[in-house]
Coordinates of all heavy atoms in Angstrom, one line a residue:
M1 N -129.8 69.4 83.0 CA -130.3 69.7 81.7 C -130.0 71.2 81.3 O -130.2 72.1 82.1 CB -131.8 69.5 81.6 CG -132.5 69.6 80.3 SD -134.2 69.2 80.3 CE -134.2 67.6 80.9
P2 N -129.3 71.5 80.2 CA -128.9 72.8 79.8 C -130.2 73.7 79.6 O -131.2 73.2 79.1 CB -128.1 72.7 78.6 CG -128.4 71.4 78.1 CD -128.9 70.5 79.2
T3 N -130.0 75.0 79.9 CA -131.1 75.9 79.7 C -130.5 77.2 79.0 O -129.3 77.4 79.1 CB -131.8 76.3 81.0 OG1 -130.8 76.9 81.8 CG2 -132.4 75.1 81.7
A4 N -131.4 77.9 78.4 CA -131.0 79.2 77.8 C -132.0 80.3 78.3 O -133.1 80.4 77.8 CB -131.0 79.1 76.3
P5 N -131.6 81.0 79.3 CA -132.5 82.1 79.7 C -132.4 83.3 78.7 O -131.3 83.8 78.5 CB -131.9 82.6 81.1 CG -130.5 82.1 81.1 CD -130.4 81.0 80.1
V6 N -133.4 83.5 78.0 CA -133.3 84.3 76.8 C -134.1 85.7 76.8 O -133.7 86.5 76.0 CB -133.6 83.5 75.5 CG1 -132.6 82.4 75.4 CG2 -135.0 83.0 75.6
V7 N -135.1 85.7 77.5 CA -136.0 86.9 77.3 C -136.4 87.5 78.6 O -136.7 86.7 79.6 CB -137.3 86.4 76.5 CG1 -138.2 87.6 76.3 CG2 -137.0 85.7 75.3
L8 N -136.5 88.7 78.7 CA -137.0 89.5 79.9 C -138.3 90.2 79.3 O -138.1 91.3 78.9 CB -136.0 90.4 80.4 CG -134.8 89.8 81.0 CD1 -133.8 90.8 81.3 CD2 -135.1 89.0 82.2
P9 N -139.4 89.6 79.3 CA -140.6 90.3 78.7 C -141.1 91.5 79.5 O -141.9 91.3 80.4 CB -141.6 89.1 78.7 CG -140.9 87.9 79.0 CD -139.8 88.3 79.9
G10 N -140.6 92.6 79.2 CA -141.0 93.8 79.7 C -142.0 94.5 78.7 O -142.4 94.0 77.7
T11 N -142.4 95.7 79.0 CA -143.4 96.4 78.2 C -142.8 96.8 76.9 O -143.5 97.0 75.9 CB -143.9 97.7 78.9 OG1 -142.8 98.5 79.2 CG2 -144.7 97.3 80.1
C12 N -141.4 96.8 76.7 CA -140.8 97.2 75.4 C -140.5 95.9 74.7 O -140.0 96.0 73.5 CB -139.5 98.0 75.7 SG -139.9 99.6 76.4
S13 N -140.7 94.7 75.3 CA -140.3 93.5 74.6 C -141.2 93.2 73.4 O -142.4 93.4 73.5 CB -140.3 92.4 75.6 OG -140.3 91.1 74.9
P14 N -140.7 92.6 72.3 CA -141.6 92.1 71.3 C -142.6 91.0 71.8 O -143.5 90.7 71.1 CB -140.7 91.6 70.2 CG -139.4 91.4 70.9 CD -139.3 92.3 72.1
L15 N -142.3 90.5 73.0 CA -143.1 89.4 73.5 C -144.0 89.9 74.6 O -144.5 89.2 75.4 CB -142.3 88.2 74.0 CG -141.5 87.5 73.0 CD1 -140.5 86.6 73.5 CD2 -142.5 86.6 72.1
A16 N -144.3 91.2 74.7 CA -145.0 91.8 75.8 C -146.4 91.4 75.8 O -147.1 91.3 76.8 CB -144.8 93.3 75.8
A17 N -147.0 91.3 74.5 CA -148.4 91.0 74.4 C -148.7 89.5 74.2 O -148.0 88.9 73.4 CB -149.0 91.9 73.3
V18 N -149.8 89.0 74.7 CA -150.2 87.7 74.4 C -150.6 87.7 72.9 O -151.3 88.6 72.4 CB -151.5 87.3 75.2 CG1 -152.1 86.0 74.7 CG2 -151.2 87.2 76.7
G19 N -150.2 86.6 72.2 CA -150.3 86.5 70.7 C -149.2 87.0 70.0 O -149.1 86.9 68.7
S20 N -148.1 87.6 70.6 CA -147.0 88.1 69.9 C -146.0 87.0 69.8 O -146.0 85.9 70.4 CB -146.3 89.3 70.6 OG -145.9 88.8 72.0
A21 N -144.9 87.2 68.9 CA -143.9 86.2 68.8 C -142.6 86.9 68.3 O -142.6 88.0 67.9 CB -144.3 85.2 67.6
A22 N -141.5 86.2 68.5 CA -140.2 86.7 68.1 C -139.2 85.6 67.8 O -139.3 84.4 68.3 CB -139.6 87.5 69.3
L23 N -138.3 86.0 66.9 CA -137.2 85.1 66.6 C -136.1 85.5 67.6 O -135.6 86.6 67.6 CB -136.7 85.2 65.2 CG -135.5 84.4 64.7 CD1 -135.8 82.9 64.8 CD2 -135.1 84.8 63.3
V24 N -135.7 84.5 68.4 CA -134.8 84.9 69.5 C -133.5 84.1 69.3 O -133.4 82.9 69.1 CB -135.4 84.4 70.8 CG1 -134.4 84.6 72.0 CG2 -136.6 85.1 71.2
D25 N -132.4 84.9 69.3 CA -131.0 84.3 69.1 C -130.4 84.2 70.5 O -130.4 85.1 71.3 CB -130.1 85.2 68.2 CG -130.6 85.2 66.8 OD1 -130.8 84.1 66.2 OD2 -130.7 86.3 66.2
T26 N -129.9 83.0 70.8 CA -129.3 82.8 72.1 C -127.8 82.5 71.9 O -127.4 81.9 70.9 CB -129.9 81.6 72.8 OG1 -129.6 80.4 72.0 CG2 -131.4 81.7 73.0
P27 N -126.9 83.0 72.8 CA -125.5 82.7 72.6 C -125.2 81.2 72.8 O -125.5 80.7 73.8 CB -124.8 83.6 73.7 CG -126.0 84.1 74.6 CD -127.3 83.8 73.9
G28 N -124.7 80.6 71.8 CA -124.4 79.2 71.9 C -125.4 78.2 71.6 O -125.1 77.0 71.4
A29 N -126.7 78.6 71.7 CA -127.8 77.6 71.6 C -128.6 77.8 70.3 O -129.6 77.0 70.0 CB -128.7 77.6 72.8
G30 N -128.3 78.8 69.5 CA -129.0 78.9 68.2 C -130.2 79.8 68.3 O -130.4 80.6 69.3
S31 N -131.1 79.8 67.3 CA -132.3 80.6 67.2 C -133.5 79.7 67.5 O -133.6 78.6 67.1 CB -132.3 81.2 65.8 OG -131.2 81.9 65.5
F32 N -134.5 80.5 68.2 CA -135.7 79.9 68.5 C -136.8 80.8 68.1 O -136.7 82.0 68.2 CB -135.7 79.6 70.0 CG -134.7 78.6 70.5 CD1 -133.4 79.1 70.9 CD2 -134.9 77.3 70.6 CE1 -132.5 78.3 71.3 CE2 -133.9 76.4 71.0 CZ -132.7 76.9 71.4
L33 N -138.0 80.1 67.8 CA -139.2 80.9 67.6 C -139.9 80.8 68.9 O -140.2 79.7 69.4 CB -140.1 80.2 66.5 CG -139.4 80.2 65.1 CD1 -140.2 79.2 64.3 CD2 -139.2 81.5 64.5
V34 N -140.2 82.0 69.5 CA -140.9 82.0 70.8 C -142.2 82.8 70.7 O -142.2 83.9 70.0 CB -140.0 82.8 71.9 CG1 -140.7 82.9 73.2 CG2 -138.7 82.1 72.0
A35 N -143.3 82.2 71.1 CA -144.6 82.8 71.1 C -145.2 82.9 72.5 O -145.0 82.0 73.3 CB -145.5 82.0 70.2
R36 N -145.8 84.0 72.7 CA -146.5 84.2 74.0 C -148.0 83.8 73.8 O -148.7 84.4 73.1 CB -146.5 85.6 74.5 CG -146.9 85.8 76.0 CD -146.5 87.1 76.5 NE -146.5 87.1 78.0 CZ -145.9 87.9 78.8 NH1 -145.2 88.9 78.2 NH2 -145.9 87.8 80.0
T37 N -148.4 82.6 74.4 CA -149.7 82.2 74.2 C -150.7 82.5 75.3 O -151.8 82.3 75.2 CB -149.6 80.6 74.1 OG1 -149.0 80.1 75.2 CG2 -148.8 80.2 72.8
A38 N -150.2 83.0 76.4 CA -151.0 83.5 77.6 C -150.1 84.3 78.4 O -148.9 84.4 78.2 CB -151.5 82.3 78.4
P39 N -150.7 85.1 79.3 CA -149.8 86.0 80.2 C -148.6 85.3 80.8 O -147.5 85.9 80.8 CB -150.8 86.5 81.2 CG -152.1 86.4 80.6 CD -152.1 85.2 79.7
D40 N -148.8 84.1 81.2 CA -147.6 83.4 81.8 C -147.2 82.1 81.1 O -146.7 81.2 81.7 CB -147.9 83.0 83.3 CG -148.0 84.3 84.1 OD1 -147.3 85.2 83.9 OD2 -148.8 84.3 85.0
S41 N -147.5 82.1 79.8 CA -147.3 80.9 79.0 C -146.6 81.2 77.7 O -147.1 82.1 77.0 CB -148.6 80.1 78.9 OG -148.4 78.9 78.1
F42 N -145.6 80.5 77.3 CA -144.9 80.6 76.1 C -144.6 79.3 75.4 O -144.7 78.2 76.1 CB -143.5 81.3 76.4 CG -143.6 82.7 76.9 CD1 -143.8 82.8 78.3 CD2 -143.4 83.8 76.1 CE1 -143.9 84.1 78.8 CE2 -143.4 85.0 76.7 CZ -143.7 85.2 78.0
T43 N -144.4 79.3 74.1 CA -143.9 78.2 73.4 C -142.5 78.6 72.8 O -142.3 79.7 72.4 CB -144.8 77.6 72.3 OG1 -145.0 78.7 71.4 CG2 -146.1 77.2 72.9
A44 N -141.6 77.6 72.7 CA -140.3 77.8 72.0 C -140.1 76.6 71.0 O -140.3 75.5 71.4 CB -139.2 77.9 73.0
L45 N -139.8 77.0 69.8 CA -139.6 76.0 68.8 C -138.2 76.2 68.1 O -137.8 77.4 68.0 CB -140.7 76.1 67.7 CG -142.1 76.2 68.2 CD1 -143.0 76.6 67.1 CD2 -142.5 74.8 68.7
T46 N -137.7 75.1 67.6 CA -136.5 75.4 66.7 C -136.9 76.3 65.5 O -138.0 76.2 65.0 CB -135.9 74.1 66.2 OG1 -134.8 74.4 65.4 CG2 -136.9 73.3 65.4
A47 N -136.0 77.2 65.1 CA -136.3 78.1 64.0 C -135.8 77.5 62.7 O -136.0 78.1 61.7 CB -135.6 79.5 64.3
T48 N -135.3 76.2 62.7 CA -134.8 75.6 61.5 C -135.9 74.9 60.9 O -136.5 73.9 61.5 CB -133.7 74.6 61.9 OG1 -132.6 75.5 62.4 CG2 -133.1 74.1 60.6
C49 N -136.3 75.2 59.7 CA -137.5 74.5 59.0 C -137.2 73.1 58.7 O -136.0 72.7 58.4 CB -137.7 75.3 57.7 SG -139.2 74.7 56.8
T50 N -138.2 72.3 58.9 CA -138.0 70.8 58.7 C -138.0 70.4 57.2 O -137.8 69.3 56.9 CB -139.1 70.0 59.4 OG1 -140.4 70.4 59.0 CG2 -138.9 70.2 61.0
H51 N -138.3 71.4 56.4 CA -138.3 71.1 54.9 C -136.9 71.0 54.4 O -136.3 70.0 54.3 CB -139.2 72.1 54.2 CG -139.2 71.8 52.7 ND1 -139.1 72.8 51.8 CD2 -139.5 70.7 52.0 CE1 -139.2 72.3 50.6 NE2 -139.5 71.0 50.7
F52 N -136.2 72.2 54.2 CA -134.8 72.2 53.8 C -133.9 73.0 54.7 O -132.8 73.4 54.3 CB -134.7 72.7 52.3 CG -135.0 71.7 51.2 CD1 -135.7 72.0 50.1 CD2 -134.6 70.4 51.4 CE1 -136.0 71.1 49.2 CE2 -134.9 69.4 50.5 CZ -135.6 69.8 49.3
G53 N -134.3 73.4 55.9 CA -133.4 73.9 56.8 C -133.3 75.4 56.8 O -132.4 76.0 57.4
C54 N -134.2 76.2 56.1 CA -134.1 77.6 56.2 C -134.5 78.1 57.6 O -135.2 77.4 58.3 CB -135.1 78.3 55.2 SG -134.7 78.0 53.5
T55 N -134.0 79.3 58.0 CA -134.5 79.9 59.2 C -135.9 80.5 59.0 O -136.0 81.4 58.2 CB -133.5 80.9 59.7 OG1 -132.2 80.3 60.0 CG2 -133.9 81.6 61.0
I56 N -136.7 80.1 59.9 CA -138.1 80.6 59.8 C -138.1 81.9 60.4 O -137.7 82.1 61.6 CB -139.1 79.6 60.5 CG1 -139.1 78.3 59.7 CG2 -140.5 80.2 60.6 CD1 -139.7 77.1 60.5
S57 N -138.6 82.9 59.7 CA -138.5 84.3 60.2 C -139.9 85.0 60.2 O -140.0 86.1 60.7 CB -137.5 85.1 59.4 OG -137.8 85.0 58.1
G58 N -140.9 84.4 59.5 CA -142.1 85.2 59.4 C -143.2 84.7 60.5 O -143.1 83.6 61.0
Y59 N -144.1 85.7 60.8 CA -145.2 85.3 61.7 C -146.4 86.2 61.4 O -146.3 87.4 61.3 CB -144.7 85.7 63.2 CG -145.6 85.4 64.3 CD1 -146.0 84.0 64.5 CD2 -146.3 86.3 65.0 CE1 -146.8 83.6 65.5 CE2 -147.2 85.9 66.0 CZ -147.4 84.6 66.2 OH -148.4 84.3 67.2
E60 N -147.4 85.5 61.0 CA -148.7 86.2 60.7 C -149.8 85.3 61.1 O -149.8 84.1 60.9 CB -148.8 86.5 59.2 CG -148.5 85.4 58.3 CD -148.4 85.8 56.8 OE1 -147.5 86.7 56.5 OE2 -149.2 85.3 56.0
S61 N -150.9 85.9 61.6 CA -152.1 85.2 62.0 C -151.8 84.0 62.9 O -152.3 82.9 62.7 CB -152.9 84.7 60.8 OG -153.2 85.8 59.9
Q62 N -151.0 84.2 63.9 CA -150.6 83.3 64.9 C -149.9 82.0 64.2 O -150.0 80.9 64.8 CB -151.9 82.7 65.7 CG -152.7 83.8 66.3 CD -152.0 84.5 67.3 OE1 -151.6 83.9 68.3 NE2 -151.9 85.8 67.3
T63 N -149.2 82.3 63.1 CA -148.6 81.1 62.4 C -147.2 81.6 62.0 O -147.0 82.7 61.5 CB -149.4 80.8 61.2 OG1 -150.8 80.6 61.5 CG2 -148.8 79.7 60.4
F64 N -146.2 80.7 62.2 CA -144.9 80.9 61.8 C -144.7 80.5 60.3 O -145.2 79.5 59.9 CB -143.9 80.1 62.6 CG -143.8 80.6 64.0 CD1 -144.2 79.8 65.1 CD2 -143.1 81.8 64.3 CE1 -144.2 80.2 66.4 CE2 -143.1 82.2 65.6 CZ -143.5 81.4 66.7
V65 N -144.1 81.4 59.5 CA -144.0 81.2 58.0 C -142.5 81.0 57.6 O -141.7 81.9 58.0 CB -144.7 82.3 57.3 CG1 -144.7 82.1 55.8 CG2 -146.1 82.5 57.9
C66 N -142.2 80.0 56.9 CA -140.9 79.8 56.3 C -140.8 80.7 55.1 O -141.6 80.6 54.2 CB -140.5 78.4 56.0 SG -138.9 78.2 55.4
P67 N -139.7 81.5 55.0 CA -139.6 82.4 53.8 C -139.1 81.6 52.5 O -139.3 82.2 51.4 CB -138.5 83.4 54.2 CG -137.6 82.6 55.2 CD -138.6 81.7 55.9
C68 N -138.7 80.4 52.6 CA -138.1 79.7 51.5 C -139.1 79.2 50.5 O -139.2 79.4 49.3 CB -137.1 78.7 51.9 SG -135.6 79.4 52.5
H69 N -140.1 78.3 51.1 CA -141.1 77.7 50.3 C -142.5 77.8 50.9 O -143.4 77.1 50.4 CB -140.7 76.2 50.1 CG -139.3 76.0 49.7 ND1 -138.3 75.6 50.5 CD2 -138.7 76.2 48.4 CE1 -137.1 75.5 49.9 NE2 -137.4 75.9 48.7
G70 N -142.6 78.6 51.9 CA -143.9 79.0 52.4 C -144.6 78.0 53.4 O -145.8 78.1 53.6
S71 N -143.8 77.1 53.9 CA -144.4 76.2 55.0 C -144.9 77.1 56.1 O -144.3 78.1 56.5 CB -143.4 75.2 55.5 OG -143.2 74.2 54.5
R72 N -146.0 76.6 56.8 CA -146.6 77.3 57.9 C -146.7 76.3 59.1 O -147.0 75.2 58.9 CB -147.9 77.9 57.6 CG -147.9 79.0 56.6 CD -149.3 79.5 56.2 NE -149.1 80.7 55.3 CZ -149.3 81.9 55.9 NH1 -149.7 82.1 57.1 NH2 -149.2 83.0 55.1
F73 N -146.3 76.9 60.3 CA -146.4 76.0 61.5 C -147.2 76.8 62.5 O -147.1 78.0 62.7 CB -145.0 75.8 62.0 CG -144.0 75.1 61.0 CD1 -143.3 75.8 60.0 CD2 -143.9 73.8 61.0 CE1 -142.5 75.2 59.1 CE2 -143.1 73.1 60.0 CZ -142.4 73.8 59.1
S74 N -147.9 76.0 63.4 CA -148.6 76.6 64.5 C -147.5 77.0 65.6 O -146.4 76.6 65.6 CB -149.6 75.6 65.1 OG -148.8 74.6 65.8
T75 N -148.1 77.7 66.6 CA -147.2 78.1 67.7 C -146.8 76.9 68.6 O -145.8 77.0 69.4 CB -147.8 79.1 68.6 OG1 -149.1 78.7 69.0 CG2 -147.9 80.5 67.9
S76 N -147.4 75.8 68.3 CA -146.9 74.5 69.0 C -146.0 73.7 68.1 O -145.6 72.6 68.5 CB -148.1 73.7 69.5 OG -148.9 73.3 68.4
G77 N -145.8 74.1 66.9 CA -144.9 73.5 66.0 C -145.4 72.6 64.9 O -144.7 72.1 64.1
S78 N -146.8 72.3 65.0 CA -147.4 71.4 64.0 C -147.4 72.1 62.7 O -147.6 73.3 62.5 CB -148.7 71.0 64.5 OG -149.6 72.1 64.6
V79 N -147.4 71.3 61.6 CA -147.4 71.8 60.2 C -148.9 72.1 59.9 O -149.8 71.4 60.0 CB -146.9 70.7 59.2 CG1 -147.1 71.2 57.8 CG2 -145.5 70.3 59.5
Q80 N -149.0 73.4 59.5 CA -150.3 73.9 59.0 C -150.4 73.9 57.5 O -151.5 73.7 57.0 CB -150.5 75.4 59.5 CG -150.4 75.6 61.0 CD -151.5 74.9 61.8 OE1 -152.7 75.3 61.6 NE2 -151.3 73.8 62.5
K81 N -149.3 74.0 56.8 CA -149.2 74.0 55.4 C -147.8 73.6 54.9 O -146.9 74.0 55.5 CB -149.5 75.4 54.9 CG -149.5 75.5 53.4 CD -149.8 77.0 53.0 CE -149.6 77.3 51.5 NZ -148.2 77.3 51.2
G82 N -147.7 72.7 53.9 CA -146.5 72.2 53.4 C -145.8 73.2 52.6 O -146.3 74.4 52.5
P83 N -144.7 72.8 52.0 CA -144.2 71.5 51.7 C -143.6 70.7 53.0 O -143.4 69.5 52.9 CB -143.2 71.6 50.6 CG -142.6 73.0 50.8 CD -143.8 73.8 51.3
A84 N -143.2 71.4 54.1 CA -142.8 70.7 55.2 C -143.8 69.7 55.7 O -145.0 69.9 55.6 CB -142.4 71.6 56.3
S85 N -143.3 68.5 56.1 CA -144.2 67.5 56.5 C -144.0 67.1 58.0 O -144.8 66.4 58.6 CB -144.0 66.2 55.7 OG -142.7 65.7 55.8
R86 N -142.9 67.6 58.6 CA -142.6 67.2 60.0 C -142.7 68.4 60.9 O -142.4 69.6 60.5 CB -141.2 66.6 60.1 CG -141.1 65.3 59.5 CD -139.7 64.7 59.5 NE -138.9 65.5 58.6 CZ -137.7 66.1 58.9 NH1 -137.2 66.1 60.1 NH2 -137.1 66.7 58.0
P87 N -143.2 68.3 62.1 CA -143.3 69.5 63.0 C -142.0 70.0 63.5 O -141.0 69.3 63.4 CB -144.1 68.8 64.2 CG -143.8 67.4 64.2 CD -143.6 67.0 62.7
L88 N -142.1 71.3 63.9 CA -140.9 71.8 64.5 C -140.7 71.2 65.9 O -141.6 71.0 66.6 CB -141.0 73.3 64.6 CG -141.2 74.1 63.3 CD1 -141.5 75.6 63.5 CD2 -140.0 73.9 62.4
R89 N -139.4 71.1 66.2 CA -139.1 70.6 67.6 C -139.5 71.7 68.6 O -139.2 72.9 68.4 CB -137.6 70.2 67.8 CG -137.3 69.7 69.1 CD -135.9 69.2 69.2 NE -135.6 68.8 70.5 CZ -134.4 68.4 71.0 NH1 -133.4 68.5 70.2 NH2 -134.2 68.1 72.3
S90 N -140.1 71.3 69.7 CA -140.5 72.3 70.7 C -139.7 72.0 72.0 O -139.2 70.9 72.3 CB -142.0 72.2 71.0 OG -142.4 71.0 71.6
Y91 N -139.6 73.0 72.8 CA -138.9 73.0 74.1 C -139.7 73.5 75.2 O -140.6 74.3 75.0 CB -137.6 73.9 73.9 CG -136.7 73.4 72.9 CD1 -136.9 73.9 71.6 CD2 -135.6 72.5 73.1 CE1 -136.0 73.5 70.5 CE2 -134.8 72.1 72.0 CZ -135.0 72.6 70.7 OH -134.2 72.2 69.7
A92 N -139.4 73.0 76.5 CA -140.1 73.5 77.6 C -139.7 74.9 77.8 O -138.6 75.3 77.6 CB -139.8 72.5 78.8
T93 N -140.7 75.7 78.4 CA -140.4 77.1 78.5 C -140.9 77.6 80.0 O -141.9 78.3 80.1 CB -141.1 77.9 77.5 OG1 -142.5 77.5 77.4 CG2 -140.5 77.8 76.1
P94 N -140.2 77.1 81.0 CA -140.6 77.7 82.3 C -140.5 79.2 82.4 O -139.5 79.7 81.8 CB -139.7 77.0 83.3 CG -138.6 76.5 82.4 CD -139.1 76.3 81.1
F95 N -141.4 79.9 83.1 CA -141.4 81.3 83.1 C -141.6 81.7 84.6 O -142.6 81.3 85.2 CB -142.5 81.9 82.3 CG -142.7 83.4 82.3 CD1 -141.7 84.2 81.8 CD2 -143.8 84.0 82.8 CE1 -141.8 85.5 81.8 CE2 -144.0 85.3 82.8 CZ -142.9 86.1 82.3
A96 N -140.7 82.5 85.1 CA -140.8 82.8 86.5 C -140.0 84.1 86.8 O -138.9 84.3 86.2 CB -140.2 81.8 87.5
N97 N -140.6 85.0 87.7 CA -139.9 86.3 87.9 C -139.6 87.1 86.7 O -138.6 87.7 86.6 CB -138.6 86.0 88.8 CG -138.9 85.3 90.1 OD1 -139.9 85.6 90.7 ND2 -138.1 84.4 90.4
N98 N -140.5 87.0 85.8 CA -140.4 87.7 84.4 C -139.1 87.3 83.6 O -138.7 88.0 82.8 CB -140.3 89.3 84.7 CG -141.1 90.0 83.7 OD1 -142.2 89.5 83.2 ND2 -140.7 91.2 83.4
V99 N -138.7 86.1 83.9 CA -137.6 85.5 83.0 C -138.1 84.3 82.4 O -138.6 83.4 83.1 CB -136.3 85.2 83.8 CG1 -135.2 84.6 83.0 CG2 -135.8 86.5 84.5
L100 N -138.0 84.3 81.1 CA -138.4 83.0 80.3 C -137.1 82.2 80.1 O -136.1 82.7 79.7 CB -139.0 83.4 79.0 CG -139.2 82.3 78.0 CD1 -140.4 81.4 78.6 CD2 -139.6 82.8 76.7
T101 N -137.2 80.9 80.4 CA -136.1 80.0 80.2 C -136.5 78.9 79.2 O -137.5 78.4 79.3 CB -135.7 79.4 81.6 OG1 -135.3 80.3 82.4 CG2 -134.5 78.4 81.3
I102 N -135.6 78.7 78.2 CA -135.8 77.6 77.3 C -135.0 76.4 77.7 O -133.8 76.6 77.8 CB -135.4 78.0 75.8 CG1 -136.3 79.2 75.3 CG2 -135.6 76.8 74.9 CD1 -135.9 79.7 74.0
T103 N -135.7 75.3 78.0 CA -135.0 74.1 78.5 C -134.6 73.3 77.2 O -135.4 72.8 76.5 CB -135.8 73.3 79.4 OG1 -136.2 74.2 80.5 CG2 -135.1 72.1 79.9
L104 N -133.3 73.1 77.0 CA -132.8 72.5 75.8 C -132.7 71.0 76.0 O -132.6 70.5 77.0 CB -131.4 73.0 75.5 CG -131.4 74.6 75.3 CD1 -129.9 75.0 75.0 CD2 -132.3 75.0 74.2
Ligands
FES201 S1 -137.1 75.3 53.8 FE1 -138.9 75.9 54.8 S2 -140.5 75.6 53.4 FE2 -138.7 74.9 52.3

């Protein structure tokens, strides 16, 4: 199964704190929304909105926000507010030795 090792969460990382999130670009695998939900726990979601395909770039109050029409998604990908009606695809995120891997 292909993987994308994408983040080294150090103290300078945008993902250093629990509750933080970042739009992560990976070489060859595209963009992912990554959120740190616990010290050793992350979620990774496709950054492509299920409404009309915009790249989701906003994050506020633990919620990802699409800039095009305002859809909101939880850090697990479920729709919090439309117009999007389908959840974002999520990926497994094993974390070991301070390296986060997104399993595609
Ligand atoms: S494309 Fe994201 S809300 Fe429309």
Side-chain angles (χ1 to χ4, degrees):
M1 190 175 298
T3 60
V6 293
V7 182
L8 297 170
T11 54
C12 296
S13 166
L15 291 166
V18 173
S20 61
L23 179 62
V24 176
D25 290 313
T26 64
S31 299
F32 298 89
L33 301 167
V34 179
R36 190 168 202 159
T37 55
D40 293 325
S41 181
F42 296 80
T43 61
L45 308 167
T46 178
T48 303
C49 184
T50 57
H51 181 226
F52 278 142
C54 289
T55 297
I56 298 167
S57 56
Y59 185 67
E60 54 187 55
S61 303
Q62 309 292 305
T63 305
F64 291 110
V65 184
C66 181
C68 290
H69 311 102
S71 289
R72 291 174 172 262
F73 302 88
S74 73
T75 55
S76 62
S78 63
V79 177
Q80 303 292 295
K81 176 179 172 290
S85 59
R86 289 175 290 126
L88 299 176
R89 182 176 177 186
S90 65
Y91 301 88
T93 51
F95 179 65
N97 299 321
N98 221 30
V99 176
L100 174 68
T101 301
I102 298 174
T103 303
L104 305 176

